[in-house]
Amino acid sequence: MTTGLVPGGQTPDPRPTDGLPQQRHEPVGQAALHVDNRSRSSVITARAAASFEPVGRSVATARSFVRDTLQGWGFADIVDDAVVLTSELVTNAVVHAGTSAEVLCLRSDDGVRIEVGDHYPEREIPLQGQAVNMGNLDREGGRGLQLCAALAGRWGVEYTPTQKQVWFQLDLPERTVGTRTAGPSLPADLLPLADGRVRVAVVQIDRACAISSWNEDAEELFGYAAEQVIGKPLTDLAAWPHTPGTSTGIAEALQLSRWEGSYGIRAANGRVTSVYASHLRVRDTGGEPSTVCLLVRDHERAVLQTPLRVPASDTNTSSDGQNTDPFEVFIGSPAPDDLDGLLQRTVERARDMLDGDSAFLLLATDDETELEVRASTGLPSARQRFARVPVEAGPGRYGSARMPAVHDDLAAVPGAVPLLNGTGMRSVVTVPLKVEGRLTGSLGVAAEGPGRYSNEEALRLQFAADRIALAVESARLGELERLRRGSLSFLVEASDLLAGTLDRDQTLALMAQMTVPTLATWCAVYTIADQASDPYLSYVLHEDEELIDGIKSLLSKIQPPDPVPTPGARVWSAPGEAAHQAALRSSMRSLGLSGGPTHQLASGIGPTLATASAVGGETVVLPLVARNRVIGMLTLGKPADEHFRQEILELAEDLSRRAALALDNARLYSERTAISQSLQRSLLPPELPEIDGVEVEVIYRAAGEGNEVGGDFYDVFPISDGAYGFAIGDVCGTGPNAAAVTGLARHALRLLAREGLSGPAVLERLNSAILDEGARSRFLTLLYGELWPQADGSARLKVVCAGHPLPLRLRQDGTVEPAAEPQPLLGVMEDLELYEQSVTLDPGDVLLCVTDGVTERREGTRMLGDDGLADVLTTCTGLTAGAVAARIMRAVERFASDAPSDDMAILAMRVPGLQTD
């Protein structure tokens, strides 16, 4: 497609006549009332032309061309009619006639004339006297002239020996007093589509941005009942699409007197519903302000949307009759902080001023080494914003940025202006934008024909660029300042979130959720376990959840990016290329070009094409480097034909450094937790032995998060045939240091007891081993005993209680009594004189042994104590050992509401008695 635009004056007819008079056939009958054979007598103020190849996709391209052109001229009132008519006429040319189509848009003071030409002049409309049949409404073709007759103010058909031209004139509607905007009457089949009943959600927001009113349509649209949302901030539901610091947030928009635009609402089902909103700030009779929000589904925006009107001011003459520079008129039009609007108006005015076919404006980076595309008109969509070109001279570099330059024919110097490669532009003039001698940008105007510009045009454009450079630089600095403020806020919040977790999987999810959609459209995180491992695709996120699986499948089939530790973002083209190839193969299979059945493959075409579009833009990779090692890669992507701006990449680089450290901390925490838990589990005794004639149950709780072993310990083990040892102890303190003494005590008890030593001898030698630890030693309370089940169903015990809470004996009649006497604890004195006491458990008796974490359980000034434990134990008559231990633990937990601050161990042994037949 080639385009052109010429401002001002009477425009000559561009069609060749070969010296022959033009033929003109007029429709007859009722349709003839709409035909105007008069020549174009009104003054043409602008012209836009485009050529389209004879392929089906040209119809959509032509619609976009006409829509963009008319909206750029400020004729939003007639855009829809013009697009409908152009679509029909271009379809006739490229589909039915099978020739290329030329579309010409002419702007005048009273409306727009659009001409569509093809190269099939033999297809004429009926002559006078013949029956008029302009097509059947049920047929695909033949409706173009009927629509012209229905929608256009004037229309007609012109012929030459080589071309047929169908044209129509659309007049701007006259607005009567009291009418803000109006559209033409349309047939029902041309009206906008709506899903059944159009629902308009009415939401009122109070001074604090909280929802105070929520109507029934809002309930139907978003799934929340009024009582669920009233009182909540609207920001909790709104998904606001903006880059940090570069646009108004939802909270700010609610404070404006009037606002209109699009955003998303998170519905009750978790999906984001796109809405079009109109906000109006009002106050009640008491002066209390609030905001009334009208919301409809985004595709039904015509219900609320106010048609945009660009102030028409193309004259170069001021009110006092003095000629003014065209840029002076336009500088005051955009808001002072509206950089994008300022740049777009600049390129449009530059194109009009030099009678060009396209124009572009690039802004320089701070170091003046690169230029970034920020605005263009008349160029293909592939010339996307934020694409970058180097400034220095050389192949593929923009060598004409620092000085005014005129290129008569780019075909002779290919690559002189990289932005215009492959666009069909032949001649170009470029001038720098400078502020105080520093390069801040470059402005260019191009034309399709060679030799269009001279030094005179360069001087005119340079004069205009000098007039606008300071305003552009001021707006750019303002945008950068807002972006930096937003970036700082974003990084502070990101750091807080990443610091709030040490879970690896949660850290990966946070990394992706912070980048999508704030920094990128989709994100993938690769992790590297160690230096010898390949990168592994760990997490994928897209702003549209339905595309996540497709992107994950695509990335899993291609080689991951190389783990290069070089800082900064680097472009990764593999995903876009793979997606393009996959979409091409799917399309070919759907058309049967690769053989085999196609009906089984057609269902996958949609997702494949959607995936290709989602990852078809720029993709960058940032290394995740922590402690001088690459531990992964953060991949960010844009949809088709989109680029990242440098400020966003710099923000992503800062985020990647923080995320890498958080991810490595989570990895180290996970590894050390696993090691700690493995070591702690080694300190616990193996499974309890089964003792004939005695029930044994243990409940153990270590204090502290992540601790499996603390200062309390227990053990039950066989000593010899028919004899078993048991112990329950408490090392001073909690945590790993206490656990080390726990391991020493438990293993020493087993070893010494199996040597045949008595209970007092075992504890005396354990006391010596603890004292040998020196500064690392800790005192220890210990209850140690040996048990022999008897043939009569009883059990004989020998017990030594070294500073430990006394064991309690529960008899069958419910009485509770201590089963031993207190003796000195271990780890304090070298010479201990301990003795053992004998106890016999009759059938039905229970021996309960606990640590002080049970008896010292506190709630304020209250403590459970020995008496409280004995009271609970009296209620356990007839219970099994397991039931006794469970009831004691339940009583301890209920005694206080706070979590236990000390380790606890409960050992219950019960003699059930003899079983008789």
Side-chain angles (χ1 to χ4, degrees):
M1 183 187 79
T2 56
T3 63
L5 179 64
V6 179
Q10 182 80 18
T11 302
D13 195 329
R15 297 183 298 278
T17 61
D18 297 332
L20 299 175
Q22 297 182 2
Q23 303 178 35
R24 207 179 278 228
H25 295 276
E26 302 174 4
V28 298
Q30 185 177 2
L33 298 175
H34 301 281
V35 180
D36 186 356
N37 296 329
R38 294 172 296 173
S39 62
R40 298 188 297 269
S41 59
S42 58
V43 176
I44 302 302
T45 58
R47 166 184 175 270
S51 298
F52 302 94
E53 298 296 325
V55 293
R57 64 175 180 272
S58 293
V59 179
T61 309
R63 286 197 297 265
S64 299
F65 164 71
V66 172
R67 185 183 302 276
D68 293 344
T69 299
L70 297 190
Q71 286 181 342
W73 289 345
F75 292 164
D77 290 328
I78 58 176
V79 163
D80 292 335
D81 289 350
V83 168
V84 170
L85 295 177
T86 302
S87 179
E88 289 293 332
L89 297 179
V90 173
T91 300
N92 290 339
V94 302
V95 176
H96 301 301
T99 74
S100 61
E102 283 77 34
V103 178
L104 176 65
C105 300
L106 301 173
R107 180 179 69 183
S108 62
D109 295 334
D110 55 353
V112 172
R113 173 176 171 132
I114 298 179
E115 301 177 357
V116 179
D118 63 45
H119 300 280
Y120 194 2
E122 291 83 358
R123 293 189 58 176
E124 300 182 0
I125 64 174
L127 297 175
Q128 291 186 5
Q130 294 179 335
V132 178
N133 181 9
M134 295 187 185
N136 189 334
L137 291 178
D138 295 329
R139 295 176 53 207
E140 179 181 356
R143 296 193 299 265
L145 298 181
Q146 285 185 327
L147 286 174
C148 286
L151 300 180
R154 295 184 297 277
W155 65 278
V157 184
E158 300 173 358
Y159 291 91
T160 70
T162 60
Q163 192 178 40
K164 178 172 90 276
Q165 198 88 18
V166 181
W167 61 270
F168 59 88
Q169 175 92 25
L170 294 175
D171 299 327
L172 290 178
E174 296 183 0
R175 291 186 172 87
T176 59
V177 176
T179 301
R180 178 173 181 178
T181 181
S185 299
L186 295 178
D189 58 343
L190 296 181
L191 296 176
L193 290 174
D195 298 336
R197 174 189 167 188
V198 176
R199 297 188 179 274
V200 180
V202 180
V203 182
Q204 192 157 2
I205 311 299
D206 62 18
R207 180 195 293 268
C209 292
I211 298 171
S212 60
S213 178
W214 184 268
N215 72 341
E216 294 181 358
D217 279 359
E219 295 182 10
E220 290 294 328
L221 284 176
F222 310 121
Y224 298 106
E227 56 267 22
Q228 293 179 275
V229 296
I230 289 180
K232 293 184 177 180
L234 183 63
T235 52
D236 288 355
L237 306 180
W240 187 261
H242 75 286
T243 302
T246 60
S247 66
T248 304
I250 182 66
E252 291 79 10
L254 291 172
Q255 302 300 318
L256 301 177
S257 60
R258 180 178 290 276
W259 184 90
E260 187 171 323
S262 299
Y263 50 87
I265 294 291
R266 293 184 181 88
N269 59 9
R271 301 290 296 273
V272 174
T273 301
S274 297
V275 299
Y276 191 84
S278 176
H279 297 175
L280 178 65
R281 190 79 164 161
V282 298
R283 62 184 175 90
D284 61 16
T285 55
E288 183 69 13
S290 63
T291 302
V292 178
C293 306
L294 304 181
L295 312 175
V296 296
R297 295 183 181 92
D298 193 68
H299 65 274
E300 296 170 341
R301 61 170 57 196
V303 176
L304 299 179
Q305 189 172 27
T306 302
L308 297 176
R309 296 277 305 167
V310 178
S313 178
D314 287 323
T315 179
N316 293 343
T317 305
S318 63
S319 59
D320 58 1
Q322 298 295 323
N323 291 332
T324 60
D325 182 79
F327 276 72
E328 185 173 339
V329 176
F330 121 125
I331 288 175
S333 176
D337 59 349
D338 183 10
L339 177 62
D340 292 337
L342 182 64
L343 299 183
Q344 192 61 37
R345 292 295 304 276
T346 300
V347 295
E348 291 173 357
R349 185 69 68 175
R351 178 193 61 186
D352 294 350
M353 187 176 69
L354 296 189
D355 192 12
D357 297 318
S358 65
F360 52 88
L361 194 151
L362 303 90
L363 294 184
T365 56
D366 291 337
D367 56 5
E368 302 181 26
T369 59
E370 289 184 306
L371 292 169
E372 188 177 66
V373 180
R374 291 302 300 267
S376 65
T377 182
L379 293 178
S381 60
R383 272 52 183 175
Q384 290 295 321
R385 296 174 66 213
F386 308 123
R388 291 195 161 206
V389 292
V391 172
E392 293 79 5
R397 296 178 182 267
Y398 197 6
S400 58
R402 299 186 184 276
M403 296 291 292
V406 176
H407 296 277
D408 291 331
D409 193 351
L410 290 177
V413 282
V417 184
L419 184 66
L420 300 180
N421 292 344
T423 63
M425 300 297 161
R426 297 285 297 276
S427 54
V428 60
V429 53
T430 61
V431 298
L433 275 70
K434 292 186 176 181
V435 175
E436 297 180 352
R438 182 173 60 86
L439 179 68
T440 60
S442 178
L443 176 63
V445 178
E448 296 176 355
R452 288 280 298 275
Y453 302 115
S454 64
N455 288 338
E456 181 181 353
E457 283 80 8
L459 290 175
R460 290 179 60 198
L461 190 62
Q462 183 66 71
F463 178 74
D466 292 341
R467 300 290 299 274
I468 197 65
L470 186 59
V472 170
E473 182 66 3
S474 177
R476 186 183 74 89
L477 292 176
E479 180 191 70
L480 288 176
E481 180 61 26
R482 292 191 299 274
L483 180 62
R484 289 187 179 115
R485 287 199 301 267
S487 299
L488 288 175
S489 176
F490 173 78
L491 290 174
V492 168
E493 182 179 358
S495 299
D496 289 343
L497 290 173
L498 291 171
T501 178
L502 288 173
D503 182 82
R504 176 183 175 276
D505 293 337
Q506 189 174 1
T507 302
L508 290 172
L510 283 174
M511 290 169 57
Q513 291 167 7
M514 284 185 292
T515 57
V516 176
T518 304
L519 305 182
T521 305
W522 64 272
C523 166
V525 183
Y526 292 85
T527 56
I528 303 175
D530 52 58
Q531 299 289 352
S533 301
D534 294 329
Y536 174 75
L537 182 61
S538 299
Y539 201 90
V540 175
L541 184 65
H542 190 281
E543 62 183 7
D544 184 352
E545 295 180 357
E546 296 181 354
L547 295 177
I548 294 177
D549 291 338
I551 297 177
K552 187 181 299 183
S553 175
L554 175 71
L555 295 178
S556 64
K557 296 176 182 177
I558 62 177
Q559 289 293 328
D562 296 330
V564 179
T566 306
R570 68 182 192 277
V571 177
W572 186 32
S573 59
E577 295 171 356
H580 175 74
Q581 293 297 327
L584 182 60
R585 288 193 298 268
S586 295
S587 299
M588 293 178 65
R589 286 196 296 266
S590 69
L591 297 174
L593 298 180
S594 60
T598 62
H599 63 277
Q600 297 178 351
L601 301 170
S603 61
I605 295 173
T608 301
L609 295 177
T611 302
S613 177
V615 301
E618 188 175 39
T619 302
V620 297
V621 178
L622 297 105
L624 299 174
V625 181
R627 298 174 177 90
N628 298 321
R629 186 174 75 87
V630 180
I631 63 172
M633 284 88 70
L634 177 64
T635 303
L636 307 179
K638 287 282 190 179
D641 294 331
E642 288 196 21
H643 295 266
F644 288 96
R645 63 183 303 176
Q646 186 62 23
E647 291 81 6
I648 295 299
L649 293 180
E650 293 172 356
L651 179 58
E653 186 178 356
D654 284 340
L655 175 64
S656 68
R657 287 194 290 267
R658 290 165 168 78
L661 188 58
L663 184 61
D664 198 47
N665 288 339
R667 177 187 62 83
L668 292 175
Y669 177 78
S670 299
E671 291 178 356
R672 294 184 181 182
T673 298
I675 293 172
S676 174
Q677 291 176 345
S678 178
L679 291 175
Q680 290 183 61
R681 282 191 292 269
S682 69
L683 299 177
L684 293 173
E687 295 182 357
L688 298 176
E690 293 186 3
I691 304 176
D692 293 337
V694 178
E695 298 174 358
V696 180
E697 183 65 30
V698 173
I699 295 179
Y700 183 81
R701 298 284 189 274
E705 183 179 358
N707 291 332
E708 295 190 24
V709 177
D712 291 7
F713 69 95
Y714 68 93
D715 201 0
V716 180
F717 55 90
I719 298 176
S720 59
D721 292 341
Y724 296 87
F726 64 91
I728 184 169
D730 185 0
V731 179
C732 175
T734 60
N737 293 330
V741 180
T742 294
L744 170 66
R746 192 177 68 79
H747 292 293
L749 284 175
R750 286 195 172 213
L751 179 63
L752 295 172
R754 288 170 177 171
E755 290 294 324
L757 299 176
S758 64
V762 169
L763 267 60
E764 289 168 1
R765 296 195 180 190
L766 175 59
N767 181 65
S768 299
I770 294 174
L771 293 175
D772 289 344
E773 291 293 310
R776 296 182 300 173
S777 66
R778 290 170 175 261
F779 64 81
L780 167 67
T781 68
L782 179 64
L783 172 65
Y784 173 74
E786 296 176 355
L787 179 146
W788 292 268
Q790 302 298 308
D792 61 357
S794 63
R796 184 167 58 88
L797 291 80
K798 290 185 178 180
V799 181
V800 180
C801 186
H804 199 77
L806 300 179
L808 299 179
R809 176 182 180 181
L810 171 65
R811 296 182 180 275
Q812 280 190 324
D813 59 4
T815 58
V816 175
E817 60 185 8
E821 296 177 354
Q823 300 184 59
L825 50 76
L826 308 181
V828 178
M829 299 179 294
E830 293 185 1
D831 298 327
L832 285 180
E833 294 183 2
L834 302 175
Y835 58 92
E836 59 185 10
Q837 296 175 269
S838 297
V839 179
T840 299
L841 296 180
D842 297 326
D845 288 355
V846 175
L847 184 69
L848 176 67
C849 309
V850 299
T851 58
D852 59 6
V854 174
T855 56
E856 294 180 2
R857 177 72 162 147
R858 294 180 179 276
E859 173 70 17
T861 58
R862 298 187 307 118
M863 186 174 71
L864 179 62
D866 296 333
D867 294 338
L869 178 63
D871 293 340
V872 176
L873 184 59
T874 58
T875 66
C876 299
T877 304
L879 299 181
T880 63
V884 171
R887 179 169 291 187
I888 297 298
M889 178 56 72
R890 189 161 55 248
V892 172
E893 292 175 343
R894 291 178 176 176
F895 186 81
S897 57
D898 296 336
S901 59
D902 195 6
D903 305 326
M904 292 188 294
I906 300 173
L907 171 61
M909 294 184 291
R910 178 176 180 269
V911 180
L914 293 174
Q915 299 292 331
T916 59
D917 295 335

